Amino acid sequence: MNTTAPLTITLAIERPGESVQTHTFRGEKALVGRETGEIILRDAESSALHAEIDCTQGAVVVRDLGSSNGTWRGKAADDGVITWERLPQFALLPGGSFRCGATIIRLVELEGAAFQVPAGRTVVSASRPASASPAASHITVTRGGAVPPPSSAA
């Protein structure tokens, strides 16, 4: 049983050729799809039921629901260029983005998270039940916001 209060998340929805729209929801899960779900994409390259945003563990996890074209996590390089990696499931941190079809969805704000990772920090946590073998360990790596660029010397 989950005793974590539901998170409130604000997403920016970026559809090609349209102005950016924001969508705020509070709850445990939201479905993302071309025609159905809490977040409707209206994107011919996305699947009818494409992905799920799961907030049940006090964090935001995006999970592909067997879509035809996959769900892609954006990764920004130091120069600002975003590369896309197709993943079945991944954590989404504030400022992070993912793509369903040609639509980019960015996590703008996250309220009510049990733990916030500070910008420029990486947190590694591990857990293993006392009775479990070492192979049953679980390791989580969480990265905070982007490290600000160094200030230039005058």
Side-chain angles (χ1 to χ4, degrees):
M1 181 172 153
N2 181 18
T3 59
T4 305
L7 299 180
T8 300
I9 68 171
T10 301
L11 302 168
I13 314 294
E14 303 174 26
R15 294 178 183 92
E18 295 184 23
S19 58
V20 176
Q21 296 178 329
T22 58
H23 180 84
T24 301
F25 79 91
R26 178 176 173 84
E28 294 184 348
K29 294 184 180 186
L31 296 175
V32 179
R34 179 181 60 237
E35 302 160 351
T36 58
E38 288 74 24
I39 301 169
I40 298 174
L41 301 177
R42 301 184 322 270
D43 180 340
E45 294 181 30
S46 65
S47 293
L49 194 54
H50 197 106
E52 173 184 63
I53 300 172
D54 184 342
C55 303
T56 58
Q57 301 299 315
V60 179
V61 174
V62 177
R63 188 172 297 114
D64 185 83
L65 296 176
S67 66
S68 299
N69 293 325
T71 301
W72 299 74
R73 179 180 63 182
K75 183 177 179 183
D78 291 338
D79 61 2
V81 174
I82 297 177
T83 57
W84 299 97
E85 179 180 18
R86 184 176 182 166
L87 296 169
Q89 177 175 302
F90 51 89
L92 188 65
L93 300 172
S97 60
F98 67 99
R99 195 179 81 216
C100 295
T103 303
I104 297 171
I105 301 169
R106 184 172 34 89
L107 178 57
V108 176
E109 189 173 0
L110 171 62
E111 294 179 25
F115 178 71
Q116 295 286 337
V117 178
R121 304 290 179 170
T122 300
V123 175
V124 178
S125 61
S127 63
R128 175 179 47 189
S131 62
S133 70
S137 297
H138 176 77
I139 297 174
T140 303
V141 177
T142 307
R143 292 190 176 101
V147 177
S151 58
S152 58

